[in-house]
């Protein structure tokens, strides 16, 4: 190996004895942006992004970060579950579909029962005669009606005329109830007594009936206790109460009504012609 000259050795020694300078490496712009955003963290559990000392990134990097967060949350967090019994839609009513169905069924059932009950009442009303069979009253008989209510109610012609007047006042059920009670007293068969008593109760005593008559609580309680084993006289107290009501309330108006006055005038004209 060739040996160095004394001059070259001196130059080489000076060169290595110089203080060393630090070497700096210049990073590209993208590398600097990456180092600046190295502290960014993503919290996947809450589904939110927390940034610490983060400089604004470019639109492409922001879009990429949004996609990463959406992918971390998963499709189950954003997609609505299928509609079923446990998941109600926005138009669900009541508590659940089963409740809605049951409510609708109950409503339809109640309407059907109400329709059948009304039809039963109409049928029973049609079965009753419009008036009792009796010859027309004479002038003397009609004039006697003004003497007392008892004389009016004793004759079929008087009851028919009074019932026609009650119909104009929408209180015909009072006379119908009184007549039904009179028919019940004539019954001797136990089975028929129970059946007729039940019909009278449902038609005129029950608070659900549209033809309910006005009775006080004492009379109603007595009837309710006796309905287990009804007798022909189960409605005697109620019948007396309705009889008194017609006597005090409706009878005076009937005496002053145009219906009664026209009847007297017609009978007077017939008597004069005869």
């Amino acid at each position: 190996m060739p040996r160095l000259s004394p001059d070259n050795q001196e130059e080489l020694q000076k060169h290595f004895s110089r203080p060393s300078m630090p070497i700096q490496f210049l990073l590209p712009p993208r590398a600097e942006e990456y180092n600046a955003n190295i502290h960014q963290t993503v919290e996947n559990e809450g589904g939110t992004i927390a940034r610490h000392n983060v400089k604004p990134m470019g639109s492409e990097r922001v879009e990429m970060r949004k996609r990463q967060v959406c992918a971390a949350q998963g499709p189950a967090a954003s997609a609505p579950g299928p509609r079923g019994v446990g998941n109600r839609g926005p138009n669900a009513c009541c508590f659940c579909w089963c409740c809605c169905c049951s409510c609708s069924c109950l409503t339809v059932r109640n309407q059907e029962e109400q329709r059948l009950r009304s039809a039963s009442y109409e049928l029973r009303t049609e079965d009753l005669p419009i008036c009792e069979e009796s010859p027309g009253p004479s002038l003397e008989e009609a004039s006697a009606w003004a003497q007392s209510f008892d004389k009016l109610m004793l004759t079929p012609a008087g009851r028919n005329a009074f019932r026609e007047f009650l119909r104009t006042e929408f209180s015909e059920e009072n006379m119908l109830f009184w007549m039904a009670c009179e028919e019940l007293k004539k019954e001797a068969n136990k089975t028929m007594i129970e059946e007729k008593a039940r019909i009278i109760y449902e038609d005129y005593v029950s608070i659900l009936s549209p033809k309910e008559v006005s009775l006080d609580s004492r009379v109603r309680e007595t009837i309710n206790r006796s309905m287990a084993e009804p007798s022909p006289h189960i409605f005697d107290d109620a019948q007396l109460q309705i009889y008194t009501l017609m006597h005090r309330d409706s009878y005076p108006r009937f005496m002053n009504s145009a219906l009664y006055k026209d009847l007297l005038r017609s009978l007077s004209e017939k008597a004069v012609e005869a």
Side-chain angles (χ1 to χ4, degrees):
M1 181 176 177
R3 296 178 60 86
L4 296 176
S5 62
D7 295 336
N8 291 337
Q9 291 180 0
E10 185 178 357
E11 290 293 334
L12 183 59
Q13 187 176 1
K14 290 181 180 180
H15 176 73
F16 284 102
S17 62
R18 294 175 183 175
S20 60
M21 298 294 292
I23 300 176
Q24 296 181 356
F25 296 92
L26 297 178
L27 299 176
R30 302 292 291 182
E32 291 180 355
E33 185 177 0
Y34 176 80
N35 290 334
N37 299 318
I38 195 66
H39 299 289
Q40 181 177 1
T41 59
V42 178
E43 299 178 0
N44 294 332
E45 294 179 357
T48 59
I49 300 176
R51 296 186 176 89
H52 305 280
N53 301 325
V54 180
K55 295 181 181 180
M57 296 186 294
S59 60
E60 297 180 358
R61 187 171 295 276
V62 172
E63 185 67 24
M64 183 181 298
R65 184 63 60 187
K66 290 181 178 179
R67 293 178 181 177
Q68 292 176 356
V69 173
C70 294
Q73 292 178 352
S78 58
R83 292 183 60 184
V85 177
N87 298 321
R88 291 175 293 163
N91 297 329
C93 62
C94 296
F95 300 97
C96 63
W97 182 85
C98 297
C99 293
C100 294
C101 180
S102 61
C103 292
S104 301
C105 293
L106 289 176
T107 302
V108 173
R109 187 182 304 170
N110 291 336
Q111 292 177 353
E112 183 66 17
E113 291 179 356
Q114 185 65 27
R115 185 185 66 81
L116 293 176
R117 189 180 297 111
S118 300
S120 176
Y121 289 143
E122 292 175 0
L123 180 61
R124 292 176 181 178
T125 303
E126 292 175 355
D127 291 341
L128 294 174
I130 298 178
C131 61
E132 297 179 77
E133 295 182 1
S134 66
S138 62
L139 180 59
E140 292 76 11
E141 185 179 5
S143 300
W145 297 344
Q147 297 175 8
S148 68
F149 182 63
D150 294 337
K151 291 184 177 181
L152 171 68
M153 294 292 289
L154 283 175
T155 61
R159 291 193 294 269
N160 288 336
F162 188 54
R163 179 179 171 184
E164 184 178 353
F165 169 76
L166 293 177
R167 190 181 297 116
T168 63
E169 290 194 336
F170 304 98
S171 58
E172 184 185 11
E173 65 273 3
N174 292 329
M175 177 62 76
L176 295 177
F177 173 70
W178 186 88
M179 293 171 60
C181 292
E182 288 294 306
E183 291 295 325
L184 178 63
K185 292 177 183 179
K186 301 175 184 178
E187 189 61 55
N189 184 279
K190 183 178 180 181
T191 303
M192 294 302 299
I193 290 174
E194 293 178 354
E195 180 65 18
K196 288 186 177 181
R198 183 187 61 82
I199 293 175
I200 293 174
Y201 182 88
E202 292 179 354
D203 285 353
Y204 304 107
V205 181
S206 174
I207 59 176
L208 300 178
S209 173
K211 299 184 295 182
E212 177 195 4
V213 295
S214 179
L215 301 173
D216 59 33
S217 59
R218 179 188 61 83
V219 173
R220 288 182 181 277
E221 291 176 1
T222 303
I223 294 174
N224 291 335
R225 288 194 302 265
S226 303
M227 280 301 295
E229 295 182 1
S231 68
H233 300 278
I234 183 175
F235 300 110
D236 282 359
D237 291 342
Q239 186 184 18
L240 177 60
Q241 195 171 80
I242 296 303
Y243 187 90
T244 305
L245 176 65
M246 292 189 294
H247 183 194
R248 295 178 178 177
D249 185 56
S250 302
Y251 174 67
R253 290 197 298 272
F254 172 69
M255 291 292 99
N256 296 322
S257 66
L259 188 149
Y260 178 64
K261 293 179 180 179
D262 290 345
L263 177 62
L264 288 179
R265 183 170 52 253
S266 176
L267 293 175
S268 299
E269 293 176 355
K270 289 181 180 180
V272 172
E273 293 176 356

